Amino acid sequence: MGGKNKTSQQRHGSKKSNVAANKLNDSPEALQEVKNHLGDGAAGNIMERIKMAEKKKKKKSDAVNTVSRKRKAEDNEKLAVKEEETTLESVNQFIPTPLSHIPLKILMDIEMELVYTDEEDISFEFAEPVVSTSTQSACHDSKKADAASAPDGSTLPQIDKQLQMTLQEASACYRQKNYTAAAEQFSTALELCSKGAAIDHPFESSPEDISSIASFIETKLVTCYLKLKKPDDALNHSHRSIILNPAYFRNHLRQAAVFRCLERYSEAARSAMIADYMYWLTGGTEQHISKLIKLYWQAMIEEAITREEAFSVMYTPFAREVKAGKINKIKDLFAKKHPDYKERIYTDPHGLHILPQMAGWPSLPPQKYLLTLGFRNKHIGKVLERWSSRKLPIFSDRKAPFCPLTSEETKRYWDNTGKSVVPVIDFIRSTKLTDNRCACSPGIEKLHYASLLGRLGRAEEQSQVINQAMAELATIPYLQDISQQDAKLLQSLMADAMDILEGRSDKGRVWNKIQQIGLIEDYLYQVEDNYLKNKRLRIARTQRMRMKRIQDAQQR
């Protein structure tokens, strides 16, 4: 990867992008589905640009770039099968498929259509369960606002007049491309909401209506800061818009756009995956919108794989339950295909992975995949396997329960282990919608990570990760059915996370207790393992002494 930086710059140029065509395709049917379903309008233009980009890639191939990218392509190769029913019955059926790069210009077009759309209406998404069909304009006069009605015929709540005027000014600045002034006005509007000036008669409205208004303002702040090229400032606003309204797919897509600008591609891929799921869940029917989201998701996965040097990946499709013997065959195949990443090979045992090539969510069940990871560093692979063996996820720098490390030890742990494990966890989540271990697993992992950042003295990053964890937790009930026990755990995690954001200590929190329980289990396991090991040694020593006495007696 010596030419990695040069290659990255060329890829992100509009006309000089030159990407190796023999890169592994993680979703073999993606491009064909895009051709079938993105037929007209902006989508048609997008596909035309893809064709032109492919022609340019054939004509303009740089020798040095091709060699450097080809090596990475071989390392990140994914294999697909011809027949789903016979998957894993014959390892020889895996077929390497080239991965086509999606140009940056295409992603910018998708963002312009789906992320930067100039929404003037505040959607009261909770006026009717799941699907929202009613909106109330923030820029219309009070008479038009009075006329708005909910799907059940009741009148929607009227926005406070002062807040309405502030939103009108902010929208005017946004349309004039004065994004700095627009951000200031939207920030003022958010302050008014926090002081209770959201709806004229708050006691006659539900808390969800106020959440819809606040979420709308947060999303406008996200777009303003993205326009100002300040993704760091947009990040927390994108998280909070999801916390306030997790059912709106554009909130997740805007979060994906922020992550893309920050070059956090695995997290961007997960946000895009959830956005597509939410679009169908809340009644979206336009196939071309879903295909654009999937294309964006595909691009983020490509970027995550291409830029990662510490590990390589392989997705294996399957139709039935996979037994241990088949997993061993998959690992053997991975070792042959990726000889540079066989120090430790790990197959994710928790949850099924999906890729963005499937058809509409409601009509067809998604193809299931197993994710196999290979590491250059054996230690990182072992840590990941040890963590995945627990019933609940633990991101810990402690070697024993109730034994916190010093600041120096914590920093050493982060440098040697933590900062290498976090990207792996984020990548695993980029194609895993649910977790069969615990519904709250994604949020718990982030909260453990936030605690570690707190001990390292990185308060701003800790705050961002806690907001991200809360967004994950707020989304979980929409992704899967949760038990009563998981619901209680989710509420406790959200309450404790909010306490920390308000400045209270993080000691005695739910995720800390989970961490201690896990460490106690590890400690007891080690004690038991040492006991059995010592017992075997004692038995072996006794047998040797007995044999020696028998031999001595025979000699005498």
Side-chain angles (χ1 to χ4, degrees):
M1 297 300 294
K4 174 184 172 185
N5 294 333
K6 180 180 177 181
T7 301
S8 177
Q9 293 174 359
Q10 290 176 339
R11 181 173 63 251
H12 292 298
S14 60
K15 293 184 179 180
K16 296 183 179 181
S17 65
N18 183 16
V19 183
N22 60 342
K23 181 182 175 186
L24 156 63
N25 190 347
D26 283 320
S27 52
E29 302 168 8
L31 292 180
Q32 186 60 42
E33 290 203 2
V34 169
K35 291 177 183 178
N36 293 339
H37 295 280
L38 294 183
D40 55 353
N45 295 333
I46 286 174
M47 290 313 303
E48 199 63 32
R49 293 191 187 99
I50 291 177
K51 293 178 182 178
M52 293 178 64
E54 289 175 349
K55 292 179 181 178
K56 289 181 180 179
K57 282 189 285 186
K58 291 179 181 178
K59 294 180 180 179
K60 298 182 180 181
S61 78
D62 181 87
V64 176
N65 182 42
T66 302
V67 171
S68 63
R69 293 301 297 273
K70 184 176 180 180
R71 181 180 180 87
K72 186 63 181 177
E74 293 173 350
D75 290 341
N76 289 305
E77 182 179 335
K78 184 186 95 34
L79 302 171
V81 291
K82 290 182 179 179
E83 297 294 333
E84 178 181 322
E85 291 75 14
T86 57
T87 301
L88 299 179
E89 294 180 1
S90 173
V91 174
N92 295 328
Q93 289 185 350
F94 288 98
I95 303 171
T97 311
L99 181 70
S100 73
H101 176 70
I102 299 172
L104 178 63
K105 182 65 169 63
I106 304 298
L107 300 182
M108 298 301 294
D109 289 343
I110 295 173
E111 288 181 359
M112 286 302 298
E113 181 173 349
L114 300 180
V115 173
Y116 295 105
T117 179
D118 188 12
E119 295 177 305
E120 297 182 3
D121 293 340
I122 298 173
S123 299
F124 290 89
E125 287 83 3
F126 305 97
E128 185 177 90
V130 182
V131 183
S132 170
T133 58
S134 298
T135 58
Q136 179 173 349
S137 175
C139 299
H140 291 193
D141 56 32
S142 59
K143 291 182 180 180
K144 291 183 180 180
D146 289 335
S149 61
D152 58 2
S154 61
T155 303
L156 287 172
Q158 183 176 340
I159 299 174
D160 178 81
K161 292 181 180 179
Q162 183 180 2
L163 176 62
Q164 194 174 51
M165 290 177 61
T166 305
L167 290 176
Q168 287 176 358
E169 294 175 6
S171 296
C173 294
Y174 186 87
R175 287 192 295 272
Q176 295 168 6
K177 298 184 179 181
N178 188 353
Y179 302 117
T180 301
E184 292 176 357
Q185 290 295 329
F186 281 121
S187 296
T188 302
L190 202 59
E191 291 177 6
L192 291 172
C193 281
S194 66
K195 295 176 182 178
I199 295 177
D200 278 347
H201 304 287
F203 296 107
E204 299 176 5
S205 303
S206 66
E208 289 81 4
D209 292 332
I210 300 175
S211 295
S212 292
I213 297 172
S215 176
F216 170 83
I217 300 171
E218 295 281 8
T219 60
K220 298 301 287 186
L221 282 167
V222 171
T223 55
C224 286
Y225 286 123
L226 285 176
K227 288 289 188 180
L228 292 169
K229 302 188 185 303
K230 295 181 178 180
D232 284 309
D233 294 335
L235 188 58
N236 273 336
H237 292 293
S238 70
H239 297 330
R240 286 196 287 266
S241 69
I242 294 173
I243 296 169
L244 291 164
N245 184 10
Y248 191 36
F249 81 96
R250 291 187 196 273
N251 288 352
H252 297 278
L253 202 58
R254 290 186 179 105
Q255 185 188 54
V258 175
F259 281 135
R260 183 193 69 77
C261 293
L262 293 171
E263 298 186 352
R264 293 164 59 172
Y265 297 107
S266 294
E267 293 163 285
R270 175 168 177 80
S271 298
M273 172 181 62
I274 295 175
D276 188 48
Y277 181 82
M278 288 296 183
Y279 179 72
W280 290 113
L281 182 69
T282 55
T285 57
E286 296 186 37
Q287 285 282 340
H288 117 270
I289 290 180
S290 178
K291 293 304 170 183
L292 290 178
I293 299 173
K294 285 185 174 72
L295 194 63
Y296 198 88
W297 175 16
Q298 171 82 12
M300 296 302 101
I301 295 175
E302 290 179 12
E303 291 290 347
I305 294 175
T306 303
R307 291 169 179 259
E308 187 54 59
E309 298 180 14
F311 62 87
S312 188
V313 304
M314 183 175 78
Y315 288 96
T316 307
F318 69 97
R320 295 178 292 275
E321 182 179 356
V322 182
K323 298 180 180 179
K326 297 297 182 182
I327 291 179
N328 291 334
K329 289 184 180 180
I330 291 172
K331 290 183 177 180
D332 292 340
L333 179 62
F334 184 94
K336 293 178 182 178
K337 294 293 180 180
H338 308 277
D340 295 335
Y341 296 90
K342 63 180 183 179
E343 284 298 316
R344 195 75 177 189
I345 300 175
Y346 163 81
T347 298
D348 180 26
H350 302 295
L352 303 174
H353 292 261
I354 55 177
L355 292 171
Q357 87 278 4
M358 76 286 293
W361 293 91
S363 58
L364 293 174
Q367 168 67 59
K368 302 174 183 178
Y369 291 84
L370 285 177
L371 172 61
T372 303
L373 298 168
F375 298 90
R376 293 183 186 273
N377 187 329
K378 186 177 181 179
H379 170 66
I380 301 303
K382 290 178 68 175
V383 168
L384 198 66
E385 284 187 353
R386 186 172 71 249
W387 287 357
S388 65
S389 66
R390 299 186 175 105
K391 293 181 180 179
L392 290 172
I394 297 176
F395 188 96
S396 176
D397 56 346
R398 303 180 185 182
K399 297 181 179 179
F402 312 110
C403 181
L405 303 181
T406 63
S407 300
E408 292 77 11
E409 290 173 324
T410 300
K411 187 178 185 307
R412 193 181 309 118
Y413 169 82
W414 172 253
D415 293 336
N416 297 334
T417 303
K419 69 179 181 181
S420 298
V421 171
V422 169
V424 182
I425 295 175
D426 288 335
F427 182 82
I428 291 173
R429 291 289 175 192
S430 67
T431 52
K432 183 160 68 172
L433 199 63
T434 60
D435 195 309
N436 60 13
R437 261 189 308 180
C438 169
C440 300
S441 291
I444 294 173
E445 287 170 349
K446 290 296 179 184
L447 290 169
H448 285 157
Y449 177 33
S451 293
L452 180 60
L453 291 173
R455 291 195 294 277
L456 291 170
R458 295 157 64 172
E460 184 176 352
E461 291 178 71
Q462 181 190 26
S463 174
Q464 288 179 344
V465 173
I466 291 175
N467 275 297
Q468 184 181 358
M470 292 181 67
E472 285 276 4
L473 292 169
T475 306
I476 286 170
Y478 295 87
L479 303 181
Q480 64 184 104
D481 294 331
I482 59 175
S483 64
Q484 186 175 1
Q485 183 179 2
D486 285 335
K488 291 181 179 179
L489 175 60
L490 191 151
Q491 291 175 353
S492 299
L493 291 168
M494 291 281 283
D496 284 356
M498 185 60 71
D499 282 347
I500 294 179
L501 289 176
E502 292 177 354
R504 300 182 182 90
S505 172
D506 65 346
K507 294 182 179 179
R509 300 302 177 187
V510 175
W511 56 88
N512 292 331
K513 295 177 182 178
I514 291 172
Q515 191 178 77
Q516 289 176 352
I517 292 171
L519 292 170
I520 290 172
E521 289 177 351
D522 284 353
Y523 177 74
L524 293 176
Y525 174 80
Q526 292 174 4
V527 169
E528 181 181 9
D529 188 53
N530 291 334
Y531 171 77
L532 293 175
K533 188 182 298 182
N534 292 332
K535 184 178 180 180
R536 288 193 295 269
L537 291 173
R538 288 195 301 270
I539 293 173
R541 185 168 60 250
T542 302
Q543 289 176 344
R544 287 195 301 270
M545 293 176 64
R546 185 180 301 159
M547 291 297 298
K548 190 174 185 306
R549 286 197 297 270
I550 292 173
Q551 290 174 357
D552 291 344
Q554 289 175 346
Q555 290 176 359
R556 287 196 298 272

